[in-house]
């Protein structure tokens, strides 16, 4: 039985009756639309971008697994002969151009995995299958990363940014991280000086959203910085006052050369 990617002769395919025209994609129009290249970490972003382009340019049917390509030959049952289908020739040229374009959107390491694939559908489905299994392992890794994140010496802004990047990476693999999970992870990774803050947040009837927690933490961080500055200032002030007082206690007026002291010397 002929495969979808190598269509054989047919007498019933509606495409032979309608005789559609497959225009060769203009790569000069498509290439500027590629803003990212597929690597091992951005498949869903790449897929989302490529789907938008394929659909907007009326090219998705080339990679759509439910659409049957036109047959390569048309059989005439009355004369029992077969002739080449010019519609298939159009489709093949257009598809080869699309294959070139798809492969140009891949990094070298990913391109190596689709070498030898000749149709855009083969390339598309191969990538889809390959990254489906890759994403499972990546989700496990990212979930472990977000559960073990620690603030340490990071600023609140940098710490929350690191958390959000990890959560967004998980979401890009169709595993949405809820606000509750993000907030819990952030609170768990705060350093000891935030212990009172964490306790205050946990006794609330409803935990704050990620955005609300960000604002609360920035305020608390500013308060901690202010207290730290005051503590650094107080010892210096104390030393200055002590030195001033000591100088006053040790001060003795210098006597005038003509001063003899006492009234009897007059």
């Amino acid at each position: 039985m002929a495969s979808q990617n190598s269509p054989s002769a047919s007498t019933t395919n509606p495409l032979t009756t309608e005789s559609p025209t497959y225009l060769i994609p203009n790569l000069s129009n498509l290439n500027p639309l590629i803003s990212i290249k597929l690597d091992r970490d951005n498949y869903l972003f790449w897929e989302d971008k490529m789907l938008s382009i394929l659909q907007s340019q009326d090219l998705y049917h080339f990679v759509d697994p439910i659409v049957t390509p036109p047959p390569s030959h048309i059989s005439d049952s009355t004369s029992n002969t077969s002739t080449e289908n010019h519609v298939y020739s159009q489709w093949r040229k257009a598809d080869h151009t699309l294959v070139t374009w798809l492969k140009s959107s891949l990094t070298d390491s990913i391109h190596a995995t689709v070498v030898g694939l000749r149709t855009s559908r083969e390339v598309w489905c191969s990538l889809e299958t390959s990254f489906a299994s890759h994403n499972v392992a990546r989700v496990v890794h990212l979930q472990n990363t977000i559960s073990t994140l620690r603030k340490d010496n990071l600023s609140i802004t940098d710490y929350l940014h690191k958390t959000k990047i990890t959560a967004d990476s998980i979401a890009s693999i169709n595993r949405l991280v809820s606000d509750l999970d993000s907030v819990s992870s952030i609170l768990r990774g705060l350093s000891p000086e935030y212990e009172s803050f964490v306790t205050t947040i946990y006794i609330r009837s409803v935990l704050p959203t990620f955005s609300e927690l960000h604002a609360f933490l920035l305020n608390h961080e500013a308060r901690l910085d202010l207290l730290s500055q005051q503590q650094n200032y107080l010892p210096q002030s104390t030393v200055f006052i002590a030195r001033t007082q000591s100088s006053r206690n040790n001060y003795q007026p210098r006597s005038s050369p003509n001063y003899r002291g006492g009234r009897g010397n007059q």
Side-chain angles (χ1 to χ4, degrees):
M1 183 170 64
S3 67
Q4 289 184 345
N5 293 323
S6 300
S8 58
S10 173
T11 58
T12 59
N13 194 303
L15 289 172
T16 60
T17 303
E18 298 174 5
S19 298
T21 300
Y22 291 91
L23 299 179
I24 298 176
N26 189 334
L27 294 184
S28 63
N29 293 333
L30 293 178
N31 286 335
L33 299 177
I34 303 177
S35 58
I36 58 174
K37 285 202 170 190
L38 177 62
D39 57 32
R40 297 192 182 281
D41 299 320
N42 66 349
Y43 172 71
L44 285 181
F45 287 115
W46 175 88
E47 181 192 40
D48 181 70
K49 180 71 173 179
M50 300 303 284
L51 280 175
S52 297
I53 297 173
L54 291 172
Q55 291 168 347
S56 68
Q57 302 298 313
D58 195 25
L59 297 170
Y60 179 69
H61 57 276
F62 283 97
V63 300
D64 189 346
I66 67 173
V67 175
T68 304
S72 58
H73 290 76
I74 300 175
S75 299
D76 186 345
S77 56
T78 57
S79 61
N80 198 26
T81 59
S82 176
T83 58
E84 184 176 345
N85 185 2
H86 74 279
V87 174
Y88 172 75
S89 298
Q90 293 175 355
W91 173 87
R92 184 182 59 189
K93 291 177 182 178
D95 189 67
H96 284 179
T97 303
L98 192 56
V99 168
T100 301
W101 179 70
L102 283 175
K103 289 183 176 180
S104 71
S105 72
L106 312 178
T107 57
D108 290 344
S109 60
I110 302 301
H111 190 175
T113 68
V114 295
V115 169
L117 301 184
R118 300 306 179 201
T119 70
S120 58
R121 186 170 306 178
E122 286 178 340
V123 173
W124 187 267
C125 292
S126 174
L127 293 171
E128 192 174 51
T129 301
S130 174
F131 279 93
S133 57
H134 171 74
N135 285 342
V136 173
R138 181 160 170 75
V139 166
V140 173
H141 169 71
L142 289 172
Q143 287 179 332
N144 180 66
T145 298
I146 200 171
S147 66
T148 56
L149 281 176
R150 295 293 180 268
K151 178 182 178 298
D152 295 331
N153 295 325
L154 296 173
S155 68
I156 285 298
T157 297
D158 289 342
Y159 173 50
L160 266 65
H161 180 64
K162 190 174 182 179
T163 303
K164 190 173 189 309
I165 286 178
T166 307
D168 288 346
S169 296
I170 297 174
S172 74
I173 316 175
N174 290 337
R175 299 290 193 281
L176 185 64
V177 179
S178 69
D179 250 14
L180 177 61
D181 290 337
S182 293
V183 167
S184 298
S185 176
I186 291 167
L187 294 175
R188 184 170 54 249
L190 289 171
S191 42
E193 63 264 31
Y194 287 85
E195 188 60 33
S196 61
F197 174 87
V198 173
T199 301
T200 302
I201 294 297
Y202 273 132
I203 64 176
R204 291 165 56 108
S205 57
V206 178
L207 288 179
T209 64
F210 180 91
S211 298
E212 291 171 339
L213 183 64
H214 190 182
F216 295 158
L217 282 170
L218 287 177
N219 290 334
H220 192 76
E221 181 182 48
R223 177 64 179 168
L224 290 177
D225 289 343
L226 178 61
L227 291 175
S228 177
Q229 293 172 10
Q230 291 176 346
Q231 289 173 356
N232 291 334
Y233 172 76
L234 287 175
Q236 296 176 8
S237 301
T238 303
V239 170
F240 175 78
I241 293 171
R243 288 178 177 174
T244 302
Q245 186 64 40
S246 176
S247 298
R248 289 177 179 175
N249 292 339
N250 295 330
Y251 175 74
Q252 294 181 355
R254 184 175 297 178
S255 300
S256 171
N258 299 324
Y259 178 72
R260 294 290 182 268
R263 300 179 62 157
N265 294 329
Q266 293 181 356

